Amino acid sequence: MAETLHCDVAIIGAGTAGLAAQSAVHAAGGKALLIDPYFAGTTCATVGCMPSKLLIAASHAAHGARTTDMFGVRVPTVTIDGKAVMQRVRDERDRFARLTRENIQDLPDDVRMQARARFIGANRLALDNGQEVEARSIVIATGSSPFVPDAFADLGDRMLTNETIFDLEDLPNRLAVIGSGSIGLELAQAMARLGVDVTLFDAGKTLGSVRCARVHDALKDIITNDLTVHMGVDLEAEQKEDGVSLRWTGDSSGQAAFDYVLVATGRPPNLDSLDLDKAGIALDDHGVPVHDRNSMQCGDSAIFIAGDVASDLPLLHEASQDGALAGRNAVAFPATVKSERFAAFGITFTSPPTVWVGKSEEEGVITGVADFSDQGRSRVEGVNQGVLTLYAAAPDGRLIGADLCCPASEHLGHMLAWAVQQGQTATQLLEMPFYHPTIEEGLKSALRTICGAVPLPLPENQDRGSPPGA
Ligand SMILES: Cc1cc2nc3c(=O)[nH]c(=O)nc-3n(C[C@H](O)[C@H](O)[C@H](O)COP(=O)(O)OP(=O)(O)OC[C@H]3O[C@@H](n4cnc5c(N)ncnc54)[C@H](O)[C@@H]3O)c2cc1C
């Protein structure tokens, strides 16, 4: 007879979402059991946000060193020490991962259970160590994993994913990146700016699923300046002694040899080994439990879901908010409450970053556009490229969304997400101070277009003229 452990909330998966859920259960005075086969640190710290941003940081340094001439600053030669680049990525990544593991280790022993869990009933889990868990409620927080299409599955160690690329000891000479989503775009551009000969392939026609055609054009110009891009192609791969040969057909055709292929074709949710058919909950067409994003509850059940596995917005801050909602509602079950979600927004850390906020152009009534090719401060800094589009609703010009690929877009994107979440209008934003000369001033022309299109005057305190380049 298997030993049965009892708790208020069993949490499957100790990533960002699971840890946030555990913390919410603890804060509400409940007893949580956090189950994970590895407790290796979160995806964010080990193979996700942090190592990718570390590689990107190195690429910024390389690009900055190569583009000083316009300021009259001569850097005779820029040499990339690939081993040192990858060493720093790993050292810093390992530090972040260690800190995450230490946080997990600080949890009381009876909160942590090192095992893999699967459902054997709506309130019952079997662990791969032979034990069982009975819980008043359960949070599924098992994350997601790279999807590798069959065409690339047999390439051995020449095939990389986000789980292996940061362990390379040196930068490759030639890299093929398959998939132009966030992960593919970020790593392709970073590698290219670090001197790697990168070719990006995608079966689709739109880079990074960018919603706005103007922003897509700007991104395409920027990316194709750094690397070769083949969109709308199908690929065949063959492993060679010293790398991989790729043949592609479609909108273009050709054949080329690469040292490695980075497969970045999506990260489906980790659901397969959970035996969800035993959980008694409805699943959608993709096998994901049907859930309410405002409570993270699956139907009326005592099962909650959080993080990438929920397949809503696979982003770190969303995983954290999911976990907090799921944990709080799981411990309070059946007294679940629905909470407002953050304004949705995502950043792809291309250079400059590509950002989307809230709703798209089709869902708005008024669009304001700002072009940064001649924007004052952007020109001063030599980063004057890209575009920003703002979407607003009638009748008052309330901001509902934006798309950006322009200088400082990760910061502008935050400001706009906060404005959207607070239901602010273009007029209200123009009533705020804009320091001169800043990249933020670039927002003004888009905001003015929106003000001009709604039956409201420009704000009283708004100067009609602009300082140079604002
Ligand atoms: C390369 C890359 C770059 C990224 N960059 C960004 C970024 O810049 N900004 C951003 O917001 N987001 C980024 N993300 C996304 C972000 O990392 C994820 O949204 C977030 O880490 C998801 O957290 P999670 O808790 O859902 O999953 P995870 O952290 O993966 O946790 C899932 C846990 O579940 C455990 N588990 C799985 N199955 C079982 C089982 N049966 N039983 C018990 N435990 C199980 C796993 O061991 C794991 O510990 C990036 C992702 C990648 C891959």
Side-chain angles (χ1 to χ4, degrees), residues 5-11 21-22 24-34 108-113 133-137 327 330-331:
L5 308 167
H6 296 269
C7 62
D8 295 320
V9 183
I11 301 163
Q22 187 281 325
V25 174
H26 177 72
K31 177 174 166 34
L33 188 65
L34 187 59
D109 283 347
D110 62 350
V111 170
R112 272 179 284 122
M113 169 58 67
V133 177
E134 191 171 276
R136 283 203 302 111
S137 25
V331 75

Side-chain angles (χ1 to χ4, degrees), residues 293-370:
R293 244 178 80 67
N294 297 97
S295 65
M296 300 316 286
Q297 186 178 12
C298 302
D300 293 330
S301 75
I303 298 173
F304 298 78
I305 189 163
D308 282 11
V309 69
S311 281
D312 297 323
L313 287 171
L315 302 170
L316 192 281
H317 68 283
E318 292 284 345
S320 239
Q321 195 186 38
D322 283 358
L325 293 182
R328 192 185 65 198
N329 281 328
V331 75
F333 181 80
T336 52
V337 291
K338 296 189 188 225
S339 305
E340 284 296 310
R341 298 298 311 231
F342 294 137
F345 86 123
I347 302 177
T348 299
F349 289 94
T350 45
S351 183
T354 311
V355 185
W356 65 271
V357 179
K359 295 186 173 165
S360 64
E361 186 160 12
E362 288 75 47
E363 296 166 275
V365 175
I366 313 151
T367 299
V369 182

Side-chain angles (χ1 to χ4, degrees), residues 185-456:
L185 271 180
E186 287 186 2
L187 297 181
Q189 190 190 32
M191 284 287 187
R193 289 191 170 190
L194 285 165
V196 179
D197 182 1
V198 179
T199 306
L200 176 66
F201 298 94
D202 199 301
K205 312 236 180 208
T206 310
L207 284 172
S209 312
V210 175
R211 307 179 300 184
C212 166
R214 300 176 199 86
V215 171
H216 185 261
D217 287 349
L219 173 66
K220 198 171 166 192
D221 284 351
I222 290 161
I223 290 291
T224 50
N225 214 18
D226 289 323
L227 51 116
T228 307
V229 177
H230 294 291
M231 302 298 287
V233 293
D234 288 326
L235 286 147
E236 283 173 32
E238 194 185 339
Q239 186 171 8
K240 299 282 184 193
E241 206 170 300
D242 58 347
V244 176
S245 168
L246 288 186
R247 184 191 294 275
W248 65 97
T249 51
D251 287 0
S252 63
S253 59
Q255 180 170 12
F258 300 92
D259 299 326
Y260 291 96
V261 173
L262 168 66
V263 179
T265 45
R267 291 177 48 92
N270 291 329
L271 291 164
D272 287 352
S273 63
L274 287 176
D275 288 353
L276 285 176
D277 52 318
K278 312 273 183 2
I281 50 177
L283 307 181
D284 70 14
D285 293 347
H286 301 287
V288 178
V290 176
H291 59 278
D292 181 337
R293 244 178 80 67
N294 297 97
S295 65
M296 300 316 286
Q297 186 178 12
C298 302
D300 293 330
S301 75
I303 298 173
F304 298 78
I305 189 163
D308 282 11
V309 69
S311 281
D312 297 323
L313 287 171
L315 302 170
L316 192 281
H317 68 283
E318 292 284 345
S320 239
Q321 195 186 38
D322 283 358
L325 293 182
R328 192 185 65 198
N329 281 328
V331 75
F333 181 80
T336 52
V337 291
K338 296 189 188 225
S339 305
E340 284 296 310
R341 298 298 311 231
F342 294 137
F345 86 123
I347 302 177
T348 299
F349 289 94
T350 45
S351 183
T354 311
V355 185
W356 65 271
V357 179
K359 295 186 173 165
S360 64
E361 186 160 12
E362 288 75 47
E363 296 166 275
V365 175
I366 313 151
T367 299
V369 182
D371 185 302
F372 283 76
S373 55
D374 210 19
Q375 198 267 333
R377 181 61 183 275
S378 306
R379 214 181 158 86
V380 166
E381 302 292 335
V383 292
N384 49 312
Q385 55 182 356
V387 68
L388 163 165
T389 52
L390 285 183
Y391 318 123
D396 55 355
R398 187 171 47 83
L399 297 174
I400 59 161
D403 284 293
L404 304 79
C405 181
C406 64
S409 49
E410 73 181 83
H411 307 297
L412 295 174
H414 271 87
M415 284 170 53
L416 291 169
W418 298 343
V420 167
Q421 183 163 319
Q422 291 184 344
Q424 290 180 326
T425 63
T427 310
Q428 285 171 326
L429 251 65
L430 279 172
E431 280 168 348
M432 311 274 191
F434 283 79
Y435 209 91
H436 176 72
T438 57
I439 291 172
E440 283 74 3
E441 287 176 304
L443 269 178
K444 281 180 160 185
S445 62
L447 291 168
R448 285 197 189 110
T449 309
I450 291 170
C451 286
V454 293
L456 287 173

Side-chain angles (χ1 to χ4, degrees), residues 37-172:
Y38 311 113
F39 290 112
T42 59
T43 286
C44 165
T46 55
V47 293
C49 322
M50 302 316 280
S52 56
K53 266 78 261 176
L54 284 160
L55 192 77
I56 290 168
S59 78
H60 289 167
H63 186 71
R66 281 203 201 91
T67 49
T68 60
D69 271 5
M70 75 174 106
F71 303 105
V73 177
R74 312 282 174 226
V75 178
T77 47
V78 178
T79 312
I80 309 290
D81 178 343
K83 287 190 174 157
V85 168
M86 295 311 291
Q87 190 63 53
R88 177 172 190 265
V89 168
R90 273 196 305 281
D91 287 350
E92 290 294 318
R93 182 240 358 227
D94 291 348
R95 186 183 153 277
F96 288 121
R98 178 172 47 76
L99 293 175
T100 332
R101 283 197 303 276
E102 282 172 7
N103 284 342
I104 296 171
Q105 287 304 319
D106 285 347
L107 295 172
D109 283 347
D110 62 350
V111 170
R112 272 179 284 122
M113 169 58 67
Q114 186 152 359
R116 184 174 292 279
R118 63 186 168 81
F119 281 87
I120 49 173
N123 293 82
R124 212 170 170 86
L125 301 172
L127 306 184
D128 64 356
N129 61 10
Q131 293 177 304
E132 293 185 3
V133 177
E134 191 171 276
R136 283 203 302 111
S137 25
I138 295 174
V139 176
I140 304 169
T142 49
S144 58
S145 298
F147 167 68
V148 178
D150 288 347
F152 310 104
D154 296 327
L155 298 179
D157 61 5
R158 294 289 162 171
M159 191 277 292
L160 304 169
T161 67
N162 70 284
E163 297 191 342
T164 48
I165 190 166
F166 306 113
D167 286 324
L168 287 179
E169 301 246 309
D170 200 349
L171 292 169

